[in-house]
Amino acid sequence: MKKIINGVDQVEEQMIEGFVKACPEYLKRLGDDLTVVRAQKKEGKVAVISGGGSGHEPSHGGYVGKGMLDAAVAGAVYTSPSVDPIYEAIKAVDAGKGVLMVIKNYTGDVMNFELAGEQAEDDDDIKVAKVVVNDDVAVDGSLYTVGRRGVAGTVFVHKCAGAKAEAGGTLEEVQAAAQKVIDNVRSMSMAINPSTVPAAGVPGFELGEDEMEIGIGIHGEPGVKKMKLEPADKIVDMMLEKILGDLDYTGSDVAVMINGCGGTPLMELYIANNHVNDVLTAKGINVYKTWVGNFMTSIESEGFSISILKLDDELKELLDAPADTPAFTQV
Amino acid sequence: MKKIINGVDQVEEQMIEGFVKACPEYLKRLGDDLTVVRAQKKEGKVAVISGGGSGHEPSHGGYVGKGMLDAAVAGAVYTSPSVDPIYEAIKAVDAGKGVLMVIKNYTGDVMNFELAGEQAEDDDDIKVAKVVVNDDVAVDGSLYTVGRRGVAGTVFVHKCAGAKAEAGGTLEEVQAAAQKVIDNVRSMSMAINPSTVPAAGVPGFELGEDEMEIGIGIHGEPGVKKMKLEPADKIVDMMLEKILGDLDYTGSDVAVMINGCGGTPLMELYIANNHVNDVLTAKGINVYKTWVGNFMTSIESEGFSISILKLDDELKELLDAPADTPAFTQV
């Protein structure tokens, strides 16, 4: 394992400290938890929180700020956060209007967020709602999941739910906006190189020098299949076939996210986007907005995912609304 | 070589097309050159252009937009752009107030930008000025360079010169602001894994499983030395020793950039930043602002650079000014 770290037992702690020191104008740490909240709590609005295992940076702490999240709760690398820090985060961000939890569909995440939410409702009279993101069309059920996994499309949920909350939406309205994104976004991923969890010390899976894995999860969970590495355009075709076969995008305006897995150069993401854009355009699907970059990573894994969100006027407005966070700023 | 590309001869073309398709609201391509200019030409101000070989994405095209650059001219991967496209870019962006060229100190870049600038002055009566960025303290003279190399500190130059131009500065004032950044910024880099130029097909250098190279250049040019991989904090100490020994930062406010080489996970960049921030603070150097991310990459190389910019009131104001570009947006 070749990493720029100190000790494997110091990774999460030093990472969050280095993160908070990089952007104190945006956020602060909540106690000793791997949780960040906005530097200035925003009063008078619904709060939106998310979280999950570390290793997906800038998810989710990078999206804490105006127009997106109010808190992000991390666990150890690729490990669900436990109930206590989620509960503490809910209490810290609630401003009397309720809290929406954006949960990726992994068994541990769902269970712990739900327990924390129930505790906050029972003990503290906080209104808590949730959505569960399951945008990955690759497989139905996986290593840590019953049903589809939640992957990069989650960041579109943060953007739209956050914008709705910032605009003064009620808890029910913010939840409905988040659910609308979930209902209309589909994602698919691939990788040419795996990631290594520091504490494990060895890659999560193995690929030959000429192999890739299609449909892989954000923790390196098995995908659809290992196969010979193909040219970028052919890879994109395979991924789009699955995505476009799952939801009818015909004639729609869409937002596209080309998400890097952490070790992928922008060069390759742009080459992928070139063909994604061409294929969608040829099919009469109108690309309204494109995000290219590292939004939901798998440590240093090399590969990318495509997420396609079908838009209506409400989602366009929410997607276009200003945001100001460490990892996503839009005027 | 394991890359998500089509053919090695299509990399630059498909990358720039995929880039422009991702953000037509920000920029457009200039003819068939590997050049991007702002989607809407900004009239009535000094224009700022930069460029260099491809492979450093998001540099430099990612910084074309409000408050930073007016055009970015790319060459093939790790290859200086030739005179013609630079000349065409100068003509395209000049709005009658003159053009500042921000050049990284590589022999080919400097020569071609200078020739293009002279041609625009001679043939088109355009006022052209230049600055040459040489922030890398690692080595004095290298594979493609006489004197120090220009590396990630260049992005601070884009930010400050761009802000000065946007605020209505004259060509001389914009050039002076850029030069002030150059005079006050120092950088140093390291890598644990090399990059592979697609057309070459093999990594630019070799490192053992437990080796790193300190002081490496952004094209994989040799650094200070290859050595055994050390803990992150010790690596940071070595890099800071060289940077802080080169310029007196005592008691100053500084901007810090922790720049990823392209394949480095944010996890490791934040761990590096944690110690950089601690060391500077302990030395009585005040961290005014921190940028952590991929600003000036070396394709998929793994490693990072540290840049430290000593600030005065003018540089703080320029650094804090709004910017809106594909790779850097600040409210």
Side-chain angles (χ1 to χ4, degrees):
Chain A
M1 177 174 67
K2 203 171 187 183
K3 287 181 185 285
I4 302 163
I5 60 175
N6 290 295
V8 294
D9 55 342
Q10 297 168 290
V11 164
E12 292 87 349
E13 175 67 23
Q14 293 181 345
M15 171 167 57
I16 195 167
E17 282 296 308
F19 174 44
V20 171
K21 285 170 189 167
C23 44
E25 66 277 25
Y26 283 109
L27 42 79
K28 60 185 178 192
R29 190 170 175 183
L30 194 60
D32 291 332
D33 294 334
L34 299 175
T35 299
V36 290
V37 297
R38 295 194 198 186
Q40 277 83 39
K41 178 174 175 176
K42 181 78 185 282
E43 299 291 345
K45 69 177 262 301
V46 168
V48 183
I49 76 167
S50 189
S54 291
H56 306 300
E57 295 71 29
S59 286
H60 297 276
Y63 304 112
V64 171
K66 191 185 160 205
M68 294 185 82
L69 301 178
D70 295 277
V73 187
V77 175
Y78 290 0
T79 304
S80 299
S82 54
V83 178
D84 266 3
I86 304 173
Y87 170 64
E88 293 300 329
I90 293 171
K91 286 197 295 179
V93 298
D94 178 55
K97 306 276 183 178
V99 178
L100 176 71
M101 305 189 296
V102 179
I103 312 168
K104 298 194 300 301
N105 189 33
Y106 299 98
T107 307
D109 286 26
V110 173
M111 185 174 69
N112 291 350
F113 272 91
E114 282 183 349
L115 286 171
E118 285 163 18
Q119 190 179 344
E121 289 189 313
D122 293 349
D123 295 359
D124 306 275
D125 272 335
I126 296 173
K127 283 191 297 176
V128 181
K130 69 159 199 245
V131 292
V132 177
V133 189
N134 59 349
D135 53 318
D136 188 347
V137 299
V139 292
D140 195 21
S142 181
L143 209 52
Y144 311 108
T145 332
V146 176
R148 288 180 169 181
R149 302 173 296 213
V151 292
T154 308
V155 185
F156 281 143
V157 181
H158 296 343
K159 178 68 189 76
C160 294
K164 193 77 182 179
E166 209 76 42
T170 64
L171 182 58
E172 292 68 27
E173 288 167 345
V174 175
Q175 183 185 29
Q179 190 59 50
K180 189 190 270 188
V181 176
I182 295 168
D183 293 342
N184 287 284
V185 66
R186 299 292 185 276
S187 301
M188 178 116 174
S189 192
M190 67 80 66
I192 59 173
N193 281 313
S195 62
T196 297
V197 173
V202 293
F205 60 96
E206 302 230 334
L207 282 173
E209 249 317 292
D210 63 344
E211 275 188 324
M212 63 176 174
E213 181 147 353
I214 292 282
I216 199 154
I218 56 172
H219 314 91
E221 309 96 300
V224 177
K225 64 174 168 179
K226 285 187 191 182
M227 56 187 296
K228 205 168 140 32
L229 180 61
E230 298 280 358
D233 288 0
K234 196 159 170 193
I235 297 169
V236 163
D237 287 338
M238 284 188 275
M239 294 162 78
L240 281 182
E241 189 185 345
K242 193 108 181 169
I243 291 171
L244 301 181
D246 199 80
L247 182 70
D248 186 6
Y249 291 93
T250 316
S252 301
D253 287 351
V254 299
V256 171
M257 186 194 303
I258 310 294
N259 171 59
C261 294
T264 321
L266 263 179
M267 174 185 284
E268 297 174 19
L269 300 182
Y270 284 128
I271 288 171
N273 183 59
N274 185 47
H275 193 58
V276 169
N277 192 289
D278 285 351
V279 171
L280 295 179
T281 303
K283 287 184 185 290
I285 300 168
N286 177 48
V287 177
Y288 177 77
K289 181 159 274 197
T290 306
W291 293 6
V292 179
N294 291 323
F295 298 97
M296 170 88 68
T297 63
S298 305
I299 321 178
E300 75 281 64
S301 177
E302 285 183 69
F304 70 104
S305 62
I306 303 172
S307 298
I308 304 196
L309 170 62
K310 187 173 168 175
L311 299 168
D312 63 5
D313 287 345
E314 183 193 19
L315 291 184
K316 282 183 200 172
E317 193 183 323
L318 296 173
L319 211 56
D320 288 342
D324 189 12
T325 77
F328 188 86
T329 296
Q330 181 171 274
V331 179
Chain B
M1 177 175 66
K2 203 171 188 183
K3 287 181 185 285
I4 302 165
I5 61 175
N6 290 297
V8 294
D9 55 342
Q10 297 168 290
V11 164
E12 292 87 349
E13 176 68 22
Q14 294 181 343
M15 171 167 58
I16 195 168
E17 283 295 308
F19 175 44
V20 171
K21 286 171 189 167
C23 44
E25 67 277 25
Y26 283 110
L27 42 79
K28 60 186 179 192
R29 189 170 175 182
L30 194 61
D32 292 331
D33 294 334
L34 299 175
T35 300
V36 290
V37 298
R38 293 194 199 187
Q40 277 83 40
K41 179 174 174 176
K42 181 77 185 282
E43 299 291 345
K45 68 178 261 303
V46 169
V48 183
I49 75 168
S50 190
S54 292
H56 306 300
E57 296 70 30
S59 286
H60 297 275
Y63 305 112
V64 171
K66 190 185 160 207
M68 295 185 82
L69 301 178
D70 296 273
V73 187
V77 175
Y78 290 179
T79 305
S80 298
S82 56
V83 177
D84 267 3
I86 304 172
Y87 170 65
E88 293 300 328
I90 294 170
K91 285 197 296 180
V93 299
D94 178 55
K97 306 277 184 178
V99 178
L100 177 71
M101 306 188 296
V102 179
I103 313 167
K104 297 193 302 302
N105 189 35
Y106 300 98
T107 308
D109 287 25
V110 173
M111 187 175 68
N112 292 351
F113 271 91
E114 282 183 349
L115 286 170
E118 285 164 18
Q119 190 179 345
E121 288 190 314
D122 293 348
D123 295 358
D124 306 275
D125 271 334
I126 296 172
K127 283 190 298 175
V128 181
K130 70 161 198 242
V131 291
V132 178
V133 189
N134 60 349
D135 53 319
D136 189 348
V137 298
V139 292
D140 195 22
S142 181
L143 209 52
Y144 311 108
T145 332
V146 176
R148 288 179 169 181
R149 303 174 295 214
V151 291
T154 308
V155 185
F156 282 143
V157 181
H158 297 343
K159 178 68 190 74
C160 294
K164 193 77 183 180
E166 209 77 42
T170 64
L171 182 58
E172 292 68 26
E173 289 167 343
V174 175
Q175 183 185 30
Q179 190 60 50
K180 189 190 270 189
V181 176
I182 295 167
D183 293 342
N184 287 284
V185 67
R186 299 291 185 276
S187 302
M188 178 118 173
S189 191
M190 67 79 67
I192 59 173
N193 280 313
S195 63
T196 298
V197 173
V202 292
F205 59 97
E206 304 230 332
L207 281 174
E209 248 317 291
D210 63 345
E211 275 187 325
M212 63 175 175
E213 181 147 354
I214 291 280
I216 199 153
I218 57 172
H219 314 91
E221 310 96 299
V224 177
K225 62 174 169 180
K226 286 188 191 180
M227 56 188 295
K228 203 168 143 28
L229 181 61
E230 298 280 357
D233 288 1
K234 195 160 170 192
I235 297 169
V236 164
D237 287 338
M238 283 188 279
M239 294 162 78
L240 282 181
E241 188 184 346
K242 193 107 179 172
I243 291 171
L244 301 181
D246 200 79
L247 183 69
D248 186 6
Y249 290 93
T250 315
S252 300
D253 287 352
V254 299
V256 171
M257 186 193 303
I258 309 294
N259 171 59
C261 294
T264 320
L266 262 180
M267 175 185 285
E268 296 174 18
L269 300 182
Y270 284 129
I271 289 173
N273 183 59
N274 184 48
H275 192 59
V276 169
N277 192 289
D278 286 352
V279 171
L280 295 179
T281 303
K283 286 182 184 292
I285 299 168
N286 176 48
V287 178
Y288 177 78
K289 181 160 273 194
T290 306
W291 294 5
V292 178
N294 291 324
F295 298 97
M296 170 89 68
T297 63
S298 305
I299 322 178
E300 75 281 64
S301 177
E302 285 182 70
F304 71 103
S305 62
I306 303 171
S307 298
I308 305 196
L309 170 62
K310 187 173 168 176
L311 299 168
D312 64 4
D313 287 345
E314 183 193 19
L315 290 183
K316 283 184 200 174
E317 191 183 324
L318 296 173
L319 211 55
D320 288 343
D324 190 11
T325 76
F328 188 87
T329 296
Q330 181 172 275
V331 180

